[in-house]
Amino acid sequence: MGFSTSGATAILLIGVLVAVSVAYPTLQAAQDLRQDAIEDRNDRALETHNTAIDDVEATVDDGELTVTARNDGSTSLSAADTTLLVDGTIPADRELEVDGEPDRELWLPEEELTITVDESDLSGDPERIKLVTERGVAITEAV
């Protein structure tokens, strides 16, 4: 074995070391991003599991549809991000109250959300409503 074989082996070894030193940080960063995404997914799944709405009542009185629901879960919800569907359509205008306080954003556990929709935003007498939280938990009730 001459010097050329030893030199070629040394050059290849240095090339492999340089390639690994360049690739390792990139792979480590990708693994960290993947791990963060898995943790975020698990956090969202836990929040969804801990979200519940109950005691939904819908009444039509004096040309207004009033929907009340109680946050029965252990997570706080956004009243503004809670969607009301009336016979499959989203009313254009609605008024929100959380525990009797108008325009309050945070819907805490054991509090009641009241959504009022004027009859002009409805297409006839509503037959059913669906309430959907920001985490995708939904409940459907007949009016």
Side-chain angles (χ1 to χ4, degrees):
M1 220 181 347
F3 175 73
S4 62
T5 303
S6 299
T9 302
I11 290 172
L12 287 176
L13 181 61
I14 291 170
V16 167
L17 289 174
V18 168
V20 167
S21 69
V22 169
Y24 179 77
T26 303
L27 294 174
Q28 183 64 36
Q31 178 62 20
D32 290 344
L33 289 173
R34 181 180 175 275
Q35 191 63 34
D36 290 344
I38 289 171
E39 289 174 10
D40 288 346
R41 181 198 62 199
N42 291 341
D43 289 343
R44 283 191 312 271
L46 180 63
E47 288 175 353
T48 300
H49 180 73
N50 289 332
T51 300
I53 50 178
D54 199 11
D55 298 337
V56 176
E57 294 180 13
T59 58
V60 177
D61 190 30
D62 294 332
E64 287 185 338
L65 170 67
T66 304
V67 178
T68 59
R70 186 170 50 91
N71 181 353
D72 202 29
S74 61
T75 58
S76 58
L77 301 170
S78 169
D81 291 337
T82 300
T83 304
L84 173 68
L85 293 150
V86 180
D87 292 332
T89 60
I90 299 174
D93 194 25
R94 64 187 185 159
E95 294 178 18
L96 301 173
E97 289 183 2
V98 177
D99 268 359
E101 297 178 34
D103 298 324
R104 195 170 127 198
E105 288 281 327
L106 194 58
W107 182 19
L108 298 174
E110 301 304 320
E111 290 185 336
E112 189 172 86
L113 172 68
T114 303
I115 302 173
T116 306
V117 179
D118 192 77
E119 187 178 32
S120 62
D121 289 334
L122 304 174
S123 58
D125 290 333
E127 295 179 15
R128 67 184 176 133
I129 57 103
K130 184 172 192 172
L131 203 58
V132 185
T133 67
E134 75 237 39
R135 293 187 177 90
V137 175
I139 191 165
T140 304
E141 292 290 323
V143 178

